[in-house]
Amino acid sequence: KGEGGTQELVSSVLEKLSELQELVVWKRTKSSGRFTRRGKILRVRVRGQCDPKAHEKQSFLTRKPYIVVRLPGKAGTLAITSFGDVKPRGTGDFALAQVGQVLDMARILLWEVQPHRCFVYTYLTDSYRWQFFKVNRAAERTIQVQASAVYEGQGGWEQFLGLLTCDPQHSLGYSDVPDIPGVEILSA
């Protein structure tokens, strides 16, 4: 897609994130705004596992989002909790065509792949800018969208890490498929 170094950078970060079991968060000092190891340390369990190779394969139907987060230890389209796309480096807002592409993927996920689900979070990034979208199911195979502002720098990565630590069923709209003894569902 021509993203070159942007995709390589995001993939290298996702590779490290895919191995996380928990995040350690340090308190930010008020005076300098920097993070410090002094004070309270918060350990947060990671509840979503990044697939650093998602951009190399189809994740659902014919769609290939660059970032796919699944339930830890699960595979297939039914385990997707959130997804996003990597775009070329830019400034300001993402182009409407870029937004439309990721929203169309969300519509397909909600209506054709995970029809039991009410909403999904999706996002765009160029590794510096991030924009998040909560996409809700609406009537007649349509969607309703709530878009965040465009976050730049560390703020976007913090929001993304927050998605990895959310409870998929209560915060991300994920609805688990019931376990059937002796049956493993890998994809829809």
Side-chain angles (χ1 to χ4, degrees):
K1 285 188 174 183
E3 285 81 0
T6 301
Q7 178 58 48
E8 291 170 12
L9 172 65
V10 172
S11 291
S12 69
V13 172
L14 293 178
E15 184 74 43
K16 291 178 177 86
L17 291 178
S18 70
E19 300 167 4
L20 283 179
Q21 299 294 319
E22 67 179 7
L23 294 174
V24 178
V25 181
W26 290 290
K27 188 169 107 177
R28 187 182 294 212
T29 63
K30 289 182 182 178
S31 59
S32 69
R34 296 177 183 254
F35 289 97
T36 178
R37 291 185 185 207
R38 293 185 200 135
K40 194 171 197 172
I41 295 177
L42 177 64
R43 294 189 183 279
V44 182
R45 192 177 99 201
V46 174
R47 297 173 183 227
Q49 190 171 31
C50 296
D51 180 357
K53 305 282 187 203
H55 64 282
E56 297 176 358
K57 58 188 176 236
Q58 291 178 348
S59 296
F60 55 93
L61 301 177
T62 60
R63 303 307 175 140
K64 292 171 69 172
Y66 274 18
I67 304 171
V68 176
V69 179
R70 291 187 171 88
L71 294 172
K74 302 279 185 173
T77 59
L78 296 177
I80 295 172
T81 60
S82 68
F83 67 90
D85 222 357
V86 177
K87 298 300 178 189
R89 187 65 188 260
T91 57
D93 293 338
F94 288 95
L96 291 178
Q98 295 170 331
V99 172
Q101 182 183 18
V102 79
L103 294 180
D104 188 53
M105 283 193 274
R107 183 188 59 78
I108 288 170
L109 182 85
L110 288 172
W111 283 102
E112 297 178 28
V113 179
Q114 295 182 0
H116 54 285
R117 189 173 186 162
C118 295
F119 66 91
V120 65
Y121 280 93
T122 187
Y123 30 87
L124 290 170
T125 186
D126 64 3
S127 78
Y128 180 73
R129 296 176 301 151
W130 286 82
Q131 188 169 18
F132 299 87
F133 305 92
K134 180 180 180 184
V135 183
N136 295 282
R137 229 181 211 302
E140 299 177 19
R141 301 184 66 80
T142 62
I143 57 174
Q144 292 177 333
V145 180
Q146 294 174 307
S148 75
V150 174
Y151 292 90
E152 293 185 348
Q154 182 178 331
W157 283 100
E158 288 173 354
Q159 293 294 319
F160 177 67
L161 290 173
L163 284 177
L164 294 181
T165 62
C166 284
D167 177 359
Q169 290 183 322
H170 294 102
S171 301
L172 299 180
Y174 179 79
S175 181
D176 204 1
V177 176
D179 287 329
I180 303 169
V183 175
E184 183 177 355
I185 301 173
L186 297 177
S187 65

